[in-house]
Amino acid sequence: MLKSTLTPIFSAFPAKPSYPKLLSRAISCTLTSAPPTVQQNASHNIFATPQLPPTSAYIHLPFCRKRCHYCDFPIVALGSSSTQTDDDDPRISNYIQLLCREINASKVNFKSHPPLETVFFGGGTPSLVPPRLVSSVLDLLRAKFGVSSDAEISMEMDPGTFDAKKMEELVELGVNRVSLGVQAFQEDLLMACGRAHGVNEVYEAIEIVGSCGVENWSLDLISSLPHQTPQMWEESLRLTIEAQPKHVSVYDLQVEQGTKFGTLYTPGELPLPSDVQSADLYRMASRMLSDAGYNHYEISSYSQEGFECKHNFTYWKNKPFYAFGLGSASYVRGMRFSRPKKMRGYINFVQNLENGTVGYTGNSDIDTGELALDVVMLSLRTARGLDLKSFQGAFGNSVVGSLCEAYKPFVESRHVLCLNEHRRVVTADEYNTMLLNGDDIGRGLAYIRLSDPDGFLLSNELISVAFSVITP
């Protein structure tokens, strides 16, 4: 589980990042003996109405061997001695029982419900959970919601936490996509991060994934680590490419308060890289992975053709989704709801859910400005960009005109690219002429996207520009 300074709209999100806490409007659920129904004036999407039933589910499995030095996610550290052979840890089995109680007690409230198309087991280190317990969760999801026969079922897995037998059992259960948390190919960097695995275990894990026939797998890396040199980063990228994963996720280290790194280091100061150096590492990743045939389809995500993460598109398209487990956040009927991050609070939440003393429903009173900002932020993190015609149809010519005017200097600097309906990039002169003519914007422009890599690197500022236009 990682956080990316290059993804300004999420402090964390399922499937790298691994559980959602979207924007500043996510609800923190602190339950009392008689908690009220929680409502949220949250955004829904012009492309996917929140009243539709979700077809994705995120499952938080919080167990790790130990806490990494950069991690502030809700986890349960089992101890460094925990291995892939542990099958009777009561902390795991008791949690799975609690998780299943939450799923059972959750009200669907839809007249009809299509089967789930994506399921993502995030954490934590889900590969520490015995397959028989993973099976119990999947069986319950199939019984309650249905799971499509061709659903993408993903699991985060760390080197050293699974062997071939466990991998084969997970594949038999339906797991068909693996997100492998490698982070670095240098022993010193892994130790400095507090990772529980070494480089030898990385190669063993890659071999196991391949030998068990898992074609759709992703490899995760972290840049801007303490003492990480450009040469180290280049080596990690080269070895990643040689391993031939179908997908690569590249995250820039974010130093969080309350973590070990937060007490040791200050962002931008040695031994951490400067902002300029971090940007250079990002550019290197974009260049090397693109040259190797990976499509940079989202700020932190690269894939070979046809292997984009379907589950993550649920978030990027602002579609509704279920989430279950400690610290997870769902988005159902236009409302975002976060579960407690502490185990005692989560236990109380499940008990209250079963007793009917806590509930969550959507709110039809949508704030148009917040909705528009959500759509812009979510769209601009992808290579496809913002669909201007749909956006204009939902929010009007005035908002689109103001946004295009505000982005004018960034179009000229080529941090922002404007495309016509054939996805041809419109020149700055053509763009300026459209702005002068006003009505030509809707006819001549179809998409706005950020350039790769420099526009993505400037995403924080560009999102702020959109914010000042939409909610002045």
Side-chain angles (χ1 to χ4, degrees):
M1 291 175 56
L2 304 171
K3 296 187 179 180
S4 172
T5 56
L6 301 173
T7 51
I9 52 180
F10 305 101
S11 57
F13 229 115
K16 297 297 183 200
S18 284
Y19 72 97
K21 188 173 66 178
L22 184 64
L23 311 180
S24 60
R25 299 190 295 281
I27 305 170
S28 178
C29 175
T30 304
L31 299 179
T32 62
S33 57
T37 295
V38 182
Q39 292 190 352
Q40 168 69 356
N41 187 20
S43 67
H44 65 215
N45 193 320
I46 56 177
F47 311 113
T49 171
Q51 301 307 319
L52 293 176
T55 57
S56 293
Y58 171 75
I59 310 297
H60 190 67
L61 303 180
F63 305 101
C64 288
R65 288 188 285 183
K66 62 178 182 176
R67 182 178 290 278
C68 298
H69 298 340
Y70 50 74
C71 175
D72 71 340
F73 288 89
I75 70 162
V76 176
L78 300 177
S80 299
S81 60
S82 298
T83 70
Q84 65 265 25
T85 60
D86 292 337
D87 197 38
D88 56 357
D89 192 318
R91 292 170 294 182
I92 298 179
S93 57
N94 290 342
Y95 175 83
I96 294 298
Q97 184 181 40
L98 184 66
L99 174 70
C100 289
R101 286 170 55 193
E102 184 199 350
I103 296 172
N104 261 323
S106 298
K107 291 180 171 55
V108 177
N109 293 330
F110 292 101
K111 291 182 179 180
S112 62
H113 202 297
L116 297 175
E117 297 173 1
T118 71
V119 177
F120 196 98
F121 290 95
T125 307
S127 47
L128 285 170
V129 176
R132 62 180 177 83
L133 297 179
V134 175
S135 178
S136 67
V137 177
L138 281 172
D139 288 345
L140 182 55
L141 292 176
R142 290 187 175 102
K144 190 173 185 71
F145 306 108
V147 177
S148 174
S149 60
D150 61 349
E152 177 190 86
I153 302 179
S154 303
M155 176 172 283
E156 290 182 336
M157 307 181 75
D158 279 359
T161 63
F162 64 98
D163 54 16
K165 181 177 182 294
K166 176 180 277 190
M167 186 75 259
E168 289 169 354
E169 291 177 354
L170 291 170
V171 170
E172 289 177 2
L173 294 177
V175 174
N176 52 26
R177 185 179 184 276
V178 168
S179 180
L180 191 61
V182 171
Q183 322 312 3
F185 279 85
Q186 295 78 33
E187 202 75 43
D188 290 346
L189 288 184
L190 293 173
M191 293 180 61
C193 289
R195 296 293 289 177
H197 70 262
V199 174
N200 287 339
E201 290 172 305
V202 168
Y203 287 115
E204 290 173 1
I206 292 173
E207 173 64 25
I208 291 170
V209 170
S211 66
C212 292
V214 180
E215 181 185 18
N216 189 3
W217 68 284
S218 178
L219 191 151
D220 298 345
L221 296 174
I222 312 178
S223 64
S224 302
L225 293 170
H227 303 288
Q228 186 180 45
T229 66
Q231 293 75 24
M232 291 176 178
W233 182 235
E234 183 177 21
E235 180 183 49
S236 287
L237 290 167
R238 177 177 55 80
L239 293 173
T240 294
I241 292 168
E242 290 178 3
Q244 298 183 335
K246 296 298 184 181
H247 188 284
V248 181
S249 294
V250 175
Y251 300 100
D252 189 69
L253 175 70
Q254 182 171 330
V255 178
E256 298 289 346
Q257 292 184 354
T259 65
K260 185 170 183 177
F261 275 3
T263 62
L264 292 175
Y265 306 125
T266 300
E269 297 183 7
L270 292 174
L272 297 178
S274 66
D275 289 344
V276 171
Q277 291 169 327
S278 291
D280 286 341
L281 299 180
Y282 185 79
R283 291 187 180 95
M284 185 188 298
S286 178
R287 184 187 70 252
M288 289 183 64
L289 291 169
S290 296
D291 288 348
Y294 290 90
N295 176 31
H296 193 180
Y297 71 99
E298 184 271 339
I299 284 180
S300 299
S301 305
Y302 304 76
S303 78
Q304 294 183 13
E305 189 67 30
F307 288 92
E308 297 84 358
C309 181
K310 295 178 182 177
H311 186 83
N312 277 353
F313 271 117
T314 297
Y315 312 127
W316 302 330
K317 292 181 179 180
N318 210 22
K319 296 172 63 177
F321 55 88
Y322 295 114
F324 302 102
L326 182 75
S328 65
S330 55
Y331 178 35
V332 182
R333 292 190 181 275
M335 187 214 57
R336 305 191 190 278
F337 185 86
S338 297
R339 286 122 188 97
K341 296 181 181 179
K342 301 293 185 180
M343 190 62 73
R344 173 49 55 188
Y346 178 60
I347 292 171
N348 290 338
F349 161 73
V350 173
Q351 291 173 342
N352 285 319
L353 188 65
E354 290 175 324
N355 295 335
T357 55
V358 62
Y360 35 92
T361 59
N363 190 339
S364 60
D365 183 18
I366 302 297
D367 183 284
T368 302
E370 290 185 352
L371 169 58
L373 185 61
D374 278 4
V375 172
V376 171
M377 290 192 296
L378 289 162
S379 299
L380 289 185
R381 71 176 290 148
T382 67
R384 184 176 187 272
L386 174 65
D387 185 333
L388 276 180
K389 294 185 183 297
S390 296
F391 190 78
Q392 183 171 290
F395 303 106
N397 296 344
S398 177
V399 173
V400 170
S402 298
L403 187 64
C404 289
E405 185 67 38
Y407 278 157
K408 179 179 176 180
F410 301 100
V411 172
E412 294 173 348
S413 65
R414 294 189 64 79
H415 289 92
V416 172
L417 302 179
C418 297
L419 298 86
N420 64 17
E421 59 184 10
H422 303 295
R423 297 200 66 87
R424 178 184 69 83
V425 176
V426 173
T427 68
D429 288 342
E430 291 174 318
Y431 184 78
N432 290 334
T433 299
M434 291 178 189
L435 288 181
L436 288 174
N437 293 335
D439 291 343
D440 287 346
I441 293 176
R443 292 195 299 268
L445 298 182
Y447 300 94
I448 285 182
R449 58 155 295 181
L450 306 186
S451 62
D452 176 15
D454 290 340
F456 282 152
L457 283 167
L458 205 62
S459 59
N460 284 337
E461 180 176 345
L462 295 172
I463 296 301
S464 296
V465 169
F467 186 90
S468 65
V469 168
I470 295 170
T471 57

